[in-house]
Amino acid sequence: MIRVHRLQIFLVAFMGMYTVLSAQTSSLSVEKIMQDPKWMGTFPENVNWDTQSKTIYFDYNPEGNPADSLYKISINNPDKIEKVNLAERKAMPGRYGTWNTAHTKKLYTEDGALWVYDLKNDRPKELIDLGGRIGNYTFLADESQIAFEYDNNAYVLDTKTGTLSKITNIREGKAPEDRAKKLSEKDQWLKDENLSLLQIVREREEQDSISKAYREMTADPDPYTFYAGDESVSGLQVSPKADFVTIMLMQRDRGESTNVPNYVDASGYTQDLRARSKVGDDNTENSLAIYNIKKDTVYKVDTSKLPGITDLPDYTSDYPDREWEEKERDVIISQAVFSDDGSKAIVNIRSKDNKDRWIAFLNLEDGSLQTLDRQRDEAWIAGPGIGWSFGGGTLGWVPDNKHIYFQSEASGYSHLYLLDVTTGTKKALTEGEYEVFDPFLSKDKKSWFLTTSEVDPGERHFYTMPVMGGKMEKLTSMPGNNEVSLSPDEKYMAIRHSYSNKPWELYLKKTGSKAEAKQLTSGQSEAFKSYTWRVPQNIRFKAEDGAMVPARLYVPDASVKNNAAIVFVHGAGYLQNAHKWWSSYFREYMFNNMLTDLGYTVIDIDYRASSGYGRDWRTGIYRHMGGKDLSDQVDGVKYLIENYDIDPDKVGIYGGSYGGFITLMALFTEADTFKAGAALRSVTDWAHYNHGYTANILNEPTQDPIAYKRSSPIYFAEGLKGDLLIEHGMVDTNVHFQDVVRLTQRLIELGKDNWELAVYPVEDHSFIEASSWTDEYKRILKLFNESLLGIK
């Protein structure tokens, strides 16, 4: 057991080498698995197609360059991988853009200019270059006209005549009459007194008034100008008939930024890195205005009549001595989404407390709203396809200009819905205990393409389905994850696929074909292939509340089993890791293989709040982080003790970020279960984390202090009994180094001596240097070997 009698801060530069003195061995080593990931091989990323549906492009790095290069495979010669030369790369039309209805022309920007690509002629053409950023470009209903935003105003370009029209006159700041200084009572008295005493001053004042009135009477009327006032213009959207323009307005207030000291700046001086503010500090406000071009006027969208806009959250009942005012809640409204014919528009609206999401019909003539769908969650609104505060989720119109589509967790799982805006009738297109990801309409708008977890929460497959609903046809078959990039003509699927023990590779398959997908890349290095990587067992165990908890299990051979267990806790909270594809935690996956070689039984749990299992799983930690998400780890240990002959006195736990937080809570509040733990880049006090993540789960500290006090490890540090290793980057701009500094002081004041702190002066939240990764995981292995096995 490690006993540290004073604070030990180990700087990486002075760390000595450590060799595990164990009877068990592994062909893996910390140095090997924590080195630059290039040792594993090269794997395709950012897969996309050329506009002619003949060539697949992807980032690849078989030459071991400092950065990935662009490569291509022709579907006519799929066995040949070619590097894209610079000239070809420059000639390629932009990857991102907007197609016309028939998908024959594509708008995109390049070097600030607006271009159009003609599919038939396979040729791009520059339309206009205004010397600045052009945004929100789109074909209008008359596709010879193109609308776009430039310098906070909307323009329409007629490609037949070459005419460019500015259709709005928007300026930031206040109108001149609003800027005019109003005289104080004293100054007005002085002016009146001066005019009454001095005749020439009075005559000139009267003449100026007459001249001004004449100029105003004879001058051409000024175009209508909309002044944004104290708000800034953050986006414009032109309706398909160019008769309305919606204007996104913003008042940004992110609160007071914090500073993170960088002690190893090249200058030799300590430099402060500006970082995020803390939870409760985000006071950003936004609104949506409509410019009615025919009426030449602007009015704002009214959200005050949304159903439930004054509803108080349930947690207020925990504070009976506090007076809660029922008032209109702040909301964030998205840009308008217009029907193809331009006759209708909808908007997505989120309450700033994130407990409501409204989809509403927008009356463009007066800015009023008619609610079509309200999703309420006393925890917080989220899930696949739901989007965040400013939209970003699944939302649009089907071609009949009558039905809208969106995703909702109303059933407990995120599914795809249609809603008739004329009748309000809502229909679920998908149903069941699974989730839908990234649905989009086919080119002819007659079908959906979508990814789901219907086969298993740990798998992803690609499907097609009739636009108005019906039987889904499964288009992929390989177990694991199938990330499909559909060719523009929709005849082929480029599939980026991986399995639990196989990193991502690229495959090709005809859409709808029953034939097996053809593998196009094989990027594993010989060094990587020389080890037999395990396929973890995907299991479920029963939690104390009866829930069946998913997990990955690594079981050692009986010949090396040491009856000790390690729990790995993934980060991010809302993330899935007990699945059947190559993990984003690939270093930890390899480390878990190494631990298993050494005789440890390792379990990796998709605890409460992990993604992939529906709304109730996601919100299981509401107002108590370190509650069910921690008890799931404890129940996982009980499962191992009962079924895999684990010694209760030989259990360790480790994880980073959210996993580090759980490790601290485990060592502080479940000390009889966990004998050792390594907490990496961990949150120690949620009141010091960011707003966007934390306020959803725990509300705000001033509004719900109960939630913060029962969720923050720093309040429970007195419970530490086992051996604790804390590791943190000193320039972490996500979870600030301040977190562990405050916890360090708390542990000192409590007189705890069975802990140590290793700091990494050049590392942010995500480590970069192989030397840092290696040092970090050598310390973790040393902790477990000494504390659980007594190996010195």
Side-chain angles (χ1 to χ4, degrees), residues 566-608:
I566 305 297
V567 178
F568 167 63
V569 190
H570 69 68
Y574 190 59
L575 180 145
Q576 186 178 8
N577 205 49
H579 48 59
K580 298 179 183 178
W581 62 86
W582 185 249
S583 176
S584 58
Y585 285 92
F586 60 90
R587 289 184 179 89
E588 289 76 7
Y589 164 77
M590 292 189 287
F591 186 64
N592 291 341
N593 271 266
M594 179 181 168
L595 289 172
T596 309
D597 286 346
L598 298 176
Y600 291 97
T601 302
V602 182
I603 192 168
D604 171 5
I605 300 169
D606 271 347
Y607 50 88
R608 239 62 70 94

Side-chain angles (χ1 to χ4, degrees), residues 522-539:
S522 183
Q524 294 182 28
S525 69
E526 291 302 318
F528 184 81
K529 289 190 289 187
S530 67
Y531 178 85
T532 303
W533 300 99
R534 290 173 174 81
V535 176
Q537 298 177 29
N538 286 90
I539 64 164

Side-chain angles (χ1 to χ4, degrees), residues 279-280 319 322 686-688 695 698-706 708:
V279 58
Y319 300 92
R322 180 170 179 171
W686 287 107
H688 289 259
L698 301 180
N699 304 307
E700 294 188 16
T702 56
Q703 303 297 307
D704 195 3
I706 292 173
Y708 282 80

Side-chain angles (χ1 to χ4, degrees), residues 630-648:
L630 175 58
S631 65
D632 285 344
Q633 318 295 332
V634 174
D635 291 333
V637 172
K638 292 177 182 177
Y639 170 81
L640 295 182
I641 292 170
E642 292 170 3
N643 294 278
Y644 289 88
D645 195 26
I646 296 301
D647 185 338

Side-chain angles (χ1 to χ4, degrees), residues 392-625:
T394 300
L395 181 64
W397 296 82
V398 294
D400 65 4
N401 295 309
K402 177 182 175 182
H403 289 86
I404 63 169
Y405 61 84
F406 58 93
Q407 281 184 254
S408 171
E409 282 189 322
S411 70
Y413 291 82
S414 183
H415 282 290
L416 182 62
Y417 290 82
L418 284 185
L419 189 147
D420 187 328
V421 298
T422 61
T423 65
T425 303
K426 184 168 68 171
K427 174 185 178 182
L429 298 185
T430 58
E431 295 179 285
E433 294 187 359
Y434 65 91
E435 294 185 319
V436 170
F437 308 89
D438 305 316
F440 62 94
L441 287 168
S442 62
K443 192 170 64 173
D444 62 9
K445 304 293 181 73
K446 294 181 179 180
S447 303
W448 290 101
F449 290 106
L450 64 161
T451 298
T452 87
S453 58
E454 183 180 22
V455 169
D456 185 89
E459 291 196 37
R460 297 286 185 273
H461 287 282
F462 193 61
Y463 297 79
T464 187
M465 177 179 65
V467 67
M468 300 306 289
K471 184 179 179 180
M472 291 196 302
E473 179 187 357
K474 186 164 162 282
L475 301 176
T476 55
S477 58
M478 294 179 288
N481 195 344
N482 297 269
E483 295 181 356
V484 174
S485 177
L486 199 62
S487 63
D489 63 8
E490 300 177 351
K491 294 180 180 179
Y492 289 91
M493 300 183 297
I495 307 170
R496 203 172 80 106
H497 171 266
S498 73
Y499 192 58
S500 303
N501 64 341
K502 296 178 182 178
W504 299 95
E505 299 290 1
L506 186 60
Y507 293 75
L508 177 66
K509 184 181 179 183
K510 281 188 177 181
T511 306
S513 169
K514 301 300 182 182
E516 289 188 10
K518 177 180 175 59
Q519 185 170 344
L520 305 181
T521 63
S522 183
Q524 294 182 28
S525 69
E526 291 302 318
F528 184 81
K529 289 190 289 187
S530 67
Y531 178 85
T532 303
W533 300 99
R534 290 173 174 81
V535 176
Q537 298 177 29
N538 286 90
I539 64 164
R540 287 184 180 249
F541 61 85
K542 183 175 285 190
E544 62 181 0
D545 62 356
M548 298 304 295
V549 182
R552 274 182 161 188
L553 184 62
Y554 302 76
V555 180
D557 291 339
S559 61
V560 298
K561 184 176 179 181
N562 57 25
N563 299 107
I566 305 297
V567 178
F568 167 63
V569 190
H570 69 68
Y574 190 59
L575 180 145
Q576 186 178 8
N577 205 49
H579 48 59
K580 298 179 183 178
W581 62 86
W582 185 249
S583 176
S584 58
Y585 285 92
F586 60 90
R587 289 184 179 89
E588 289 76 7
Y589 164 77
M590 292 189 287
F591 186 64
N592 291 341
N593 271 266
M594 179 181 168
L595 289 172
T596 309
D597 286 346
L598 298 176
Y600 291 97
T601 302
V602 182
I603 192 168
D604 171 5
I605 300 169
D606 271 347
Y607 50 88
R608 239 62 70 94
S610 297
S611 63
Y613 308 99
R615 180 192 61 210
D616 293 345
W617 203 264
R618 173 178 61 78
T619 61
I621 59 170
Y622 178 58
R623 299 190 69 216
H624 192 184
M625 300 156 91

Side-chain angles (χ1 to χ4, degrees), residues 278-280 282 354 380 388 689-697:
K278 298 181 188 292
V279 58
D282 190 349
N354 218 9
W380 74 98
W388 297 96
Y689 196 51
N690 69 29
H691 184 86
Y693 180 85
T694 318
N696 282 343
I697 305 170

